[in-house]
Amino acid sequence: MASPTAKQGKDILEARKLIEVEIVKDVIKYATPSDFDLLKKIVKSEEDNIAHEHMVEGIQLGGDFHLMLAKISKNETLEHILKSLIPQTSLVIVLYENPDAPKCSHLEHFDLIDVMEKGLIEEATNLMHQHIESIEARLKLNGKEFTSDLVDIFKQR
């Protein structure tokens, strides 16, 4: 998908809500302390990049966090699906994010790690659902369509 429409952006995020709510349940089941340490390291790097206004790198690290959750879940099918959705989501964010929107995904990621580490399944699934919804809330998916593609945007790094 070279240039997702706003409708496709909404569809991608809806698919991620369905998939990632299930992934966090398995993360709670299978994650080791070293898995949680790795997740924290990824989110710390995400936070540092956002703080230094390296937005593309921050977005990519946010995607890496979600991909690592899928890997930890041990559900190879959901991991494979998410591997196709994450780059599409990154492109949607780059194209449609409201420039005035707060860049706080890393805070939500830290909160999610905390509740998963505690084994709080219901709270973790609710947080993941809210997290994907907060991504969508930061996007302007009812306006202008864009024509850039993923390769062009990410080669600007």
Side-chain angles (χ1 to χ4, degrees):
M1 173 183 316
S3 190
T5 65
K7 165 77 167 81
Q8 289 168 325
K10 289 178 187 179
D11 291 348
I12 290 164
L13 292 168
E14 188 61 33
R16 286 195 52 192
K17 276 187 257 184
L18 295 170
I19 291 166
E20 293 196 66
V21 162
E22 293 306 311
I23 284 173
V24 296
K25 292 176 187 176
D26 286 339
V27 169
I28 289 170
K29 192 184 310 180
Y30 297 116
T32 65
S34 63
D35 290 330
F36 286 117
D37 289 344
L38 178 57
L39 289 168
K40 290 173 189 172
K41 190 178 200 180
I42 291 168
V43 177
K44 179 64 176 131
S45 293
E46 175 190 14
E47 178 182 45
D48 292 345
N49 274 279
I50 298 297
H52 292 98
E53 297 187 14
H54 301 142
M55 304 317 280
V56 171
E57 292 85 350
I59 290 168
Q60 288 176 323
L61 285 161
D64 291 348
F65 169 78
H66 288 270
L67 289 172
M68 185 54 62
L69 290 176
K71 185 174 189 67
I72 293 167
S73 80
K74 300 188 186 305
N75 186 321
E76 292 178 8
T77 301
L78 292 182
E79 181 182 359
H80 177 74
I81 294 167
L82 200 58
K83 279 182 181 178
S84 75
L85 293 174
I86 293 292
Q88 294 175 61
T89 305
S90 296
L91 180 57
V92 168
I93 290 169
V94 169
L95 293 175
Y96 294 100
E97 188 169 47
N98 180 343
D100 300 327
K103 312 293 188 261
C104 56
S105 284
H106 60 279
L107 299 175
E108 295 170 2
H109 290 164
F110 279 127
D111 290 343
L112 189 57
I113 292 168
D114 184 52
V115 297
M116 288 187 302
E117 251 184 321
K118 292 175 182 170
L120 303 173
I121 294 171
E122 187 175 339
E123 191 170 343
T125 58
N126 288 338
L127 273 177
M128 179 57 82
H129 190 270
Q130 291 168 8
H131 172 58
I132 304 294
E133 285 187 341
S134 75
I135 293 170
E136 187 171 357
R138 294 192 324 258
L139 304 176
K140 297 196 284 189
L141 294 174
N142 296 317
K144 177 184 171 194
E145 300 291 334
F146 293 90
T147 57
S148 297
D149 72 21
L150 189 62
V151 174
D152 291 338
I153 288 170
F154 284 102
K155 72 178 164 186
Q156 296 174 10
R157 296 182 57 188

